[in-house]
PDB file of all heavy atoms in Angstrom:
ATOM      1  N   THR N 114      28.702  14.587   4.111  1.00 65.00           N
ATOM      2  CA  THR N 114      27.718  13.597   3.700  1.00 65.00           C
ATOM      3  C   THR N 114      28.187  12.872   2.450  1.00 65.00           C
ATOM      4  O   THR N 114      28.728  13.480   1.525  1.00 65.00           O
ATOM      5  CB  THR N 114      26.366  14.273   3.415  1.00 65.00           C
ATOM      6  OG1 THR N 114      25.941  14.973   4.586  1.00 65.00           O
ATOM      7  CG2 THR N 114      25.319  13.244   3.033  1.00 65.00           C
ATOM      8  N   GLY N 122      21.002  -4.887  -4.174  1.00 81.00           N
ATOM      9  CA  GLY N 122      19.889  -5.536  -4.864  1.00 81.00           C
ATOM     10  C   GLY N 122      19.495  -6.860  -4.229  1.00 81.00           C
ATOM     11  O   GLY N 122      19.904  -7.197  -3.114  1.00 81.00           O
ATOM     12  N   HIS N 127      23.139 -13.076 -12.637  1.00 80.00           N
ATOM     13  CA  HIS N 127      22.527 -12.377 -13.767  1.00 80.00           C
ATOM     14  C   HIS N 127      21.289 -13.113 -14.279  1.00 80.00           C
ATOM     15  O   HIS N 127      20.284 -12.488 -14.631  1.00 80.00           O
ATOM     16  CB  HIS N 127      23.545 -12.215 -14.897  1.00 80.00           C
ATOM     17  CG  HIS N 127      24.724 -11.361 -14.522  1.00 80.00           C
ATOM     18  ND1 HIS N 127      24.591 -10.091 -14.023  1.00 80.00           N
ATOM     19  CD2 HIS N 127      26.071 -11.607 -14.560  1.00 80.00           C
ATOM     20  CE1 HIS N 127      25.781  -9.580 -13.772  1.00 80.00           C
ATOM     21  NE2 HIS N 127      26.697 -10.490 -14.091  1.00 80.00           N
ATOM     22  N   VAL N 129      19.222 -15.041 -12.591  1.00 87.00           N
ATOM     23  CA  VAL N 129      18.139 -14.839 -11.626  1.00 87.00           C
ATOM     24  C   VAL N 129      17.623 -13.409 -11.711  1.00 87.00           C
ATOM     25  O   VAL N 129      16.413 -13.158 -11.602  1.00 87.00           O
ATOM     26  CB  VAL N 129      18.622 -15.175 -10.202  1.00 87.00           C
ATOM     27  CG1 VAL N 129      17.524 -14.874  -9.179  1.00 87.00           C
ATOM     28  CG2 VAL N 129      19.045 -16.631 -10.105  1.00 87.00           C
ATOM     29  N   TYR N 131      17.447 -11.410 -14.374  1.00 88.00           N
ATOM     30  CA  TYR N 131      16.564 -11.241 -15.528  1.00 88.00           C
ATOM     31  C   TYR N 131      15.213 -11.921 -15.307  1.00 88.00           C
ATOM     32  O   TYR N 131      14.162 -11.400 -15.698  1.00 88.00           O
ATOM     33  CB  TYR N 131      17.241 -11.802 -16.782  1.00 88.00           C
ATOM     34  CG  TYR N 131      18.493 -11.060 -17.182  1.00 88.00           C
ATOM     35  CD1 TYR N 131      19.612 -11.744 -17.685  1.00 88.00           C
ATOM     36  CD2 TYR N 131      18.584  -9.682 -17.029  1.00 88.00           C
ATOM     37  CE1 TYR N 131      20.770 -11.055 -18.038  1.00 88.00           C
ATOM     38  CE2 TYR N 131      19.740  -9.001 -17.385  1.00 88.00           C
ATOM     39  CZ  TYR N 131      20.827  -9.687 -17.872  1.00 88.00           C
ATOM     40  OH  TYR N 131      21.964  -9.008 -18.210  1.00 88.00           O
ATOM     41  N   ILE N 136       9.306 -11.151 -13.750  1.00 93.00           N
ATOM     42  CA  ILE N 136       8.234 -11.432 -12.780  1.00 93.00           C
ATOM     43  C   ILE N 136       7.746 -10.141 -12.137  1.00 93.00           C
ATOM     44  O   ILE N 136       6.525  -9.875 -12.073  1.00 93.00           O
ATOM     45  CB  ILE N 136       8.732 -12.417 -11.712  1.00 93.00           C
ATOM     46  CG1 ILE N 136       9.003 -13.787 -12.334  1.00 93.00           C
ATOM     47  CG2 ILE N 136       7.714 -12.543 -10.577  1.00 93.00           C
ATOM     48  CD1 ILE N 136       9.659 -14.772 -11.381  1.00 93.00           C
ATOM     49  N   PHE N 138       8.141  -7.070 -13.171  1.00 94.00           N
ATOM     50  CA  PHE N 138       7.532  -6.164 -14.150  1.00 94.00           C
ATOM     51  C   PHE N 138       6.068  -6.539 -14.383  1.00 94.00           C
ATOM     52  O   PHE N 138       5.193  -5.663 -14.444  1.00 94.00           O
ATOM     53  CB  PHE N 138       8.306  -6.204 -15.466  1.00 94.00           C
ATOM     54  CG  PHE N 138       7.686  -5.376 -16.551  1.00 94.00           C
ATOM     55  CD1 PHE N 138       7.802  -3.991 -16.538  1.00 94.00           C
ATOM     56  CD2 PHE N 138       6.974  -5.975 -17.581  1.00 94.00           C
ATOM     57  CE1 PHE N 138       7.217  -3.219 -17.538  1.00 94.00           C
ATOM     58  CE2 PHE N 138       6.394  -5.215 -18.572  1.00 94.00           C
ATOM     59  CZ  PHE N 138       6.512  -3.832 -18.558  1.00 94.00           C
ATOM     60  N   ASP N 176      -2.176   2.041  -3.065  1.00 92.00           N
ATOM     61  CA  ASP N 176      -1.432   0.862  -3.526  1.00 92.00           C
ATOM     62  C   ASP N 176      -0.608   1.182  -4.769  1.00 92.00           C
ATOM     63  O   ASP N 176       0.551   0.774  -4.882  1.00 92.00           O
ATOM     64  CB  ASP N 176      -2.397  -0.284  -3.829  1.00 92.00           C
ATOM     65  CG  ASP N 176      -2.853  -1.014  -2.581  1.00 92.00           C
ATOM     66  OD1 ASP N 176      -2.059  -1.080  -1.626  1.00 92.00           O
ATOM     67  OD2 ASP N 176      -3.991  -1.504  -2.550  1.00 92.00           O
ATOM     68  N   LYS N 186      12.750   1.395  -9.203  1.00 87.00           N
ATOM     69  CA  LYS N 186      14.159   1.290  -8.835  1.00 87.00           C
ATOM     70  C   LYS N 186      14.584  -0.167  -8.756  1.00 87.00           C
ATOM     71  O   LYS N 186      15.704  -0.529  -9.132  1.00 87.00           O
ATOM     72  CB  LYS N 186      14.401   1.974  -7.484  1.00 87.00           C
ATOM     73  CG  LYS N 186      15.874   2.163  -7.144  1.00 87.00           C
ATOM     74  CD  LYS N 186      16.536   3.132  -8.099  1.00 87.00           C
ATOM     75  CE  LYS N 186      17.998   3.374  -7.754  1.00 87.00           C
ATOM     76  NZ  LYS N 186      18.663   4.268  -8.725  1.00 87.00           N
ATOM     77  N   LEU N 187      13.688  -1.027  -8.286  1.00 89.00           N
ATOM     78  CA  LEU N 187      13.978  -2.462  -8.250  1.00 89.00           C
ATOM     79  C   LEU N 187      14.187  -3.002  -9.655  1.00 89.00           C
ATOM     80  O   LEU N 187      15.150  -3.744  -9.910  1.00 89.00           O
ATOM     81  CB  LEU N 187      12.823  -3.200  -7.568  1.00 89.00           C
ATOM     82  CG  LEU N 187      12.792  -4.730  -7.700  1.00 89.00           C
ATOM     83  CD1 LEU N 187      14.026  -5.344  -7.054  1.00 89.00           C
ATOM     84  CD2 LEU N 187      11.524  -5.289  -7.074  1.00 89.00           C
ATOM     85  N   ILE N 198      22.184   5.124  -5.897  1.00 88.00           N
ATOM     86  CA  ILE N 198      21.140   6.124  -5.722  1.00 88.00           C
ATOM     87  C   ILE N 198      21.773   7.294  -4.992  1.00 88.00           C
ATOM     88  O   ILE N 198      22.554   7.108  -4.050  1.00 88.00           O
ATOM     89  CB  ILE N 198      19.940   5.546  -4.941  1.00 88.00           C
ATOM     90  CG1 ILE N 198      18.812   6.573  -4.835  1.00 88.00           C
ATOM     91  CG2 ILE N 198      20.347   5.045  -3.573  1.00 88.00           C
ATOM     92  CD1 ILE N 198      17.515   5.995  -4.275  1.00 88.00           C
ATOM     93  N   SER N 199      21.481   8.501  -5.436  1.00 88.00           N
ATOM     94  CA  SER N 199      22.102   9.668  -4.820  1.00 88.00           C
ATOM     95  C   SER N 199      21.581   9.852  -3.394  1.00 88.00           C
ATOM     96  O   SER N 199      20.527   9.324  -3.018  1.00 88.00           O
ATOM     97  CB  SER N 199      21.806  10.922  -5.649  1.00 88.00           C
ATOM     98  OG  SER N 199      20.441  11.288  -5.528  1.00 88.00           O
ATOM     99  N   PHE N 208      11.231   9.130   2.426  1.00 94.00           N
ATOM    100  CA  PHE N 208      10.134  10.001   2.850  1.00 94.00           C
ATOM    101  C   PHE N 208       8.823   9.585   2.205  1.00 94.00           C
ATOM    102  O   PHE N 208       7.806   9.396   2.891  1.00 94.00           O
ATOM    103  CB  PHE N 208      10.446  11.458   2.495  1.00 94.00           C
ATOM    104  CG  PHE N 208       9.260  12.374   2.678  1.00 94.00           C
ATOM    105  CD1 PHE N 208       8.910  12.815   3.942  1.00 94.00           C
ATOM    106  CD2 PHE N 208       8.496  12.773   1.589  1.00 94.00           C
ATOM    107  CE1 PHE N 208       7.809  13.644   4.121  1.00 94.00           C
ATOM    108  CE2 PHE N 208       7.398  13.595   1.748  1.00 94.00           C
ATOM    109  CZ  PHE N 208       7.049  14.041   3.025  1.00 94.00           C
ATOM    110  N   ASN N 243     -21.292   9.689   6.811  1.00 89.00           N
ATOM    111  CA  ASN N 243     -21.637  10.583   5.698  1.00 89.00           C
ATOM    112  C   ASN N 243     -20.373  10.977   4.953  1.00 89.00           C
ATOM    113  O   ASN N 243     -19.265  10.595   5.324  1.00 89.00           O
ATOM    114  CB  ASN N 243     -22.397  11.814   6.214  1.00 89.00           C
ATOM    115  CG  ASN N 243     -21.655  12.506   7.350  1.00 89.00           C
ATOM    116  OD1 ASN N 243     -20.471  12.815   7.234  1.00 89.00           O
ATOM    117  ND2 ASN N 243     -22.341  12.728   8.462  1.00 89.00           N
ATOM    118  N   LEU N 260       2.915  12.951   9.016  1.00 94.00           N
ATOM    119  CA  LEU N 260       3.586  13.177  10.301  1.00 94.00           C
ATOM    120  C   LEU N 260       4.515  12.018  10.644  1.00 94.00           C
ATOM    121  O   LEU N 260       5.622  12.224  11.158  1.00 94.00           O
ATOM    122  CB  LEU N 260       2.538  13.363  11.404  1.00 94.00           C
ATOM    123  CG  LEU N 260       1.676  14.631  11.301  1.00 94.00           C
ATOM    124  CD1 LEU N 260       0.616  14.647  12.399  1.00 94.00           C
ATOM    125  CD2 LEU N 260       2.537  15.886  11.373  1.00 94.00           C
ATOM    126  N   PRO N 268      14.882  13.585  11.618  1.00 87.00           N
ATOM    127  CA  PRO N 268      16.003  13.271  12.536  1.00 87.00           C
ATOM    128  C   PRO N 268      17.128  12.495  11.857  1.00 87.00           C
ATOM    129  O   PRO N 268      18.296  12.667  12.210  1.00 87.00           O
ATOM    130  CB  PRO N 268      15.331  12.419  13.626  1.00 87.00           C
ATOM    131  CG  PRO N 268      13.892  12.805  13.583  1.00 87.00           C
ATOM    132  CD  PRO N 268      13.596  13.066  12.134  1.00 87.00           C
ATOM    133  N   VAL N 311       6.021   0.569  17.377  1.00 85.00           N
ATOM    134  CA  VAL N 311       4.920   0.684  18.331  1.00 85.00           C
ATOM    135  C   VAL N 311       3.616   1.049  17.620  1.00 85.00           C
ATOM    136  O   VAL N 311       2.544   0.506  17.938  1.00 85.00           O
ATOM    137  CB  VAL N 311       5.259   1.721  19.418  1.00 85.00           C
ATOM    138  CG1 VAL N 311       4.047   1.977  20.310  1.00 85.00           C
ATOM    139  CG2 VAL N 311       6.438   1.254  20.255  1.00 85.00           C
ATOM    140  N   ILE N 312       3.691   1.957  16.652  1.00 87.00           N
ATOM    141  CA  ILE N 312       2.486   2.328  15.912  1.00 87.00           C
ATOM    142  C   ILE N 312       1.920   1.126  15.160  1.00 87.00           C
ATOM    143  O   ILE N 312       0.706   0.871  15.193  1.00 87.00           O
ATOM    144  CB  ILE N 312       2.797   3.482  14.937  1.00 87.00           C
ATOM    145  CG1 ILE N 312       3.032   4.778  15.700  1.00 87.00           C
ATOM    146  CG2 ILE N 312       1.652   3.663  13.930  1.00 87.00           C
ATOM    147  CD1 ILE N 312       3.431   5.946  14.825  1.00 87.00           C
ATOM    148  N   CYS N 346     -15.382  -9.033   5.831  1.00 71.00           N
ATOM    149  CA  CYS N 346     -14.471  -8.952   6.974  1.00 71.00           C
ATOM    150  C   CYS N 346     -13.271  -9.870   6.795  1.00 71.00           C
ATOM    151  O   CYS N 346     -12.142  -9.507   7.123  1.00 71.00           O
ATOM    152  CB  CYS N 346     -15.222  -9.304   8.255  1.00 71.00           C
ATOM    153  SG  CYS N 346     -16.355  -8.024   8.802  1.00 71.00           S
ATOM    154  N   THR N 348     -11.917 -10.749   4.023  1.00 71.00           N
ATOM    155  CA  THR N 348     -11.047 -10.122   3.036  1.00 71.00           C
ATOM    156  C   THR N 348     -10.169  -9.057   3.679  1.00 71.00           C
ATOM    157  O   THR N 348      -8.963  -8.988   3.450  1.00 71.00           O
ATOM    158  CB  THR N 348     -11.891  -9.481   1.924  1.00 71.00           C
ATOM    159  OG1 THR N 348     -12.619 -10.495   1.266  1.00 71.00           O
ATOM    160  CG2 THR N 348     -11.016  -8.744   0.925  1.00 71.00           C
ATOM    161  N   LEU N 355      -1.429  -9.218   5.662  1.00 79.00           N
ATOM    162  CA  LEU N 355      -0.370  -9.127   4.655  1.00 79.00           C
ATOM    163  C   LEU N 355       0.378  -7.802   4.738  1.00 79.00           C
ATOM    164  O   LEU N 355       1.565  -7.723   4.410  1.00 79.00           O
ATOM    165  CB  LEU N 355      -0.971  -9.287   3.254  1.00 79.00           C
ATOM    166  CG  LEU N 355      -1.435 -10.696   2.875  1.00 79.00           C
ATOM    167  CD1 LEU N 355      -2.175 -10.652   1.542  1.00 79.00           C
ATOM    168  CD2 LEU N 355      -0.268 -11.648   2.796  1.00 79.00           C
ATOM    169  N   ASP N 374      15.016 -10.600   5.361  1.00 79.00           N
ATOM    170  CA  ASP N 374      14.813  -9.158   5.212  1.00 79.00           C
ATOM    171  C   ASP N 374      14.309  -8.793   3.814  1.00 79.00           C
ATOM    172  O   ASP N 374      13.335  -8.045   3.658  1.00 79.00           O
ATOM    173  CB  ASP N 374      16.113  -8.401   5.502  1.00 79.00           C
ATOM    174  CG  ASP N 374      16.493  -8.454   6.965  1.00 79.00           C
ATOM    175  OD1 ASP N 374      15.598  -8.703   7.801  1.00 79.00           O
ATOM    176  OD2 ASP N 374      17.678  -8.259   7.279  1.00 79.00           O
ATOM    177  N   VAL N 376      12.981 -10.721   1.570  1.00 84.00           N
ATOM    178  CA  VAL N 376      11.669 -11.323   1.291  1.00 84.00           C
ATOM    179  C   VAL N 376      10.561 -10.456   1.863  1.00 84.00           C
ATOM    180  O   VAL N 376       9.553 -10.173   1.189  1.00 84.00           O
ATOM    181  CB  VAL N 376      11.591 -12.746   1.880  1.00 84.00           C
ATOM    182  CG1 VAL N 376      10.198 -13.337   1.681  1.00 84.00           C
ATOM    183  CG2 VAL N 376      12.638 -13.647   1.242  1.00 84.00           C
ATOM    184  N   LEU N 408     -17.349  -2.027 -18.246  1.00 75.00           N
ATOM    185  CA  LEU N 408     -16.791  -2.532 -19.503  1.00 75.00           C
ATOM    186  C   LEU N 408     -17.874  -2.653 -20.566  1.00 75.00           C
ATOM    187  O   LEU N 408     -17.641  -2.374 -21.750  1.00 75.00           O
ATOM    188  CB  LEU N 408     -16.110  -3.885 -19.267  1.00 75.00           C
ATOM    189  CG  LEU N 408     -14.851  -3.873 -18.396  1.00 75.00           C
ATOM    190  CD1 LEU N 408     -14.353  -5.291 -18.164  1.00 75.00           C
ATOM    191  CD2 LEU N 408     -13.766  -3.023 -19.038  1.00 75.00           C
ATOM    192  N   PRO N 426     -31.571   0.327 -29.493  1.00 43.00           N
ATOM    193  CA  PRO N 426     -31.509   0.654 -28.069  1.00 43.00           C
ATOM    194  C   PRO N 426     -32.121  -0.416 -27.188  1.00 43.00           C
ATOM    195  O   PRO N 426     -31.636  -0.712 -26.106  1.00 43.00           O
ATOM    196  CB  PRO N 426     -32.267   1.977 -27.958  1.00 43.00           C
ATOM    197  CG  PRO N 426     -32.201   2.560 -29.321  1.00 43.00           C
ATOM    198  CD  PRO N 426     -32.205   1.396 -30.273  1.00 43.00           C
ATOM    199  N   SER N 429     -29.743  -3.318 -26.918  1.00 33.00           N
ATOM    200  CA  SER N 429     -28.557  -2.984 -26.146  1.00 33.00           C
ATOM    201  C   SER N 429     -28.874  -2.996 -24.650  1.00 33.00           C
ATOM    202  O   SER N 429     -28.069  -3.391 -23.836  1.00 33.00           O
ATOM    203  CB  SER N 429     -28.009  -1.616 -26.542  1.00 33.00           C
ATOM    204  OG  SER N 429     -28.928  -0.593 -26.188  1.00 33.00           O
TER     205      SER N 429
END
Side-chain angles (χ1 to χ4, degrees):
T114 302
H127 297 306
V129 176
Y131 295 142
I136 293 173
F138 176 76
D176 280 329
K186 191 66 178 177
L187 167 62
I198 183 171
S199 71
F208 170 79
N243 52 51
L260 293 176
V311 173
I312 289 176
C346 287
T348 298
L355 288 172
D374 290 339
V376 176
L408 293 176
S429 66

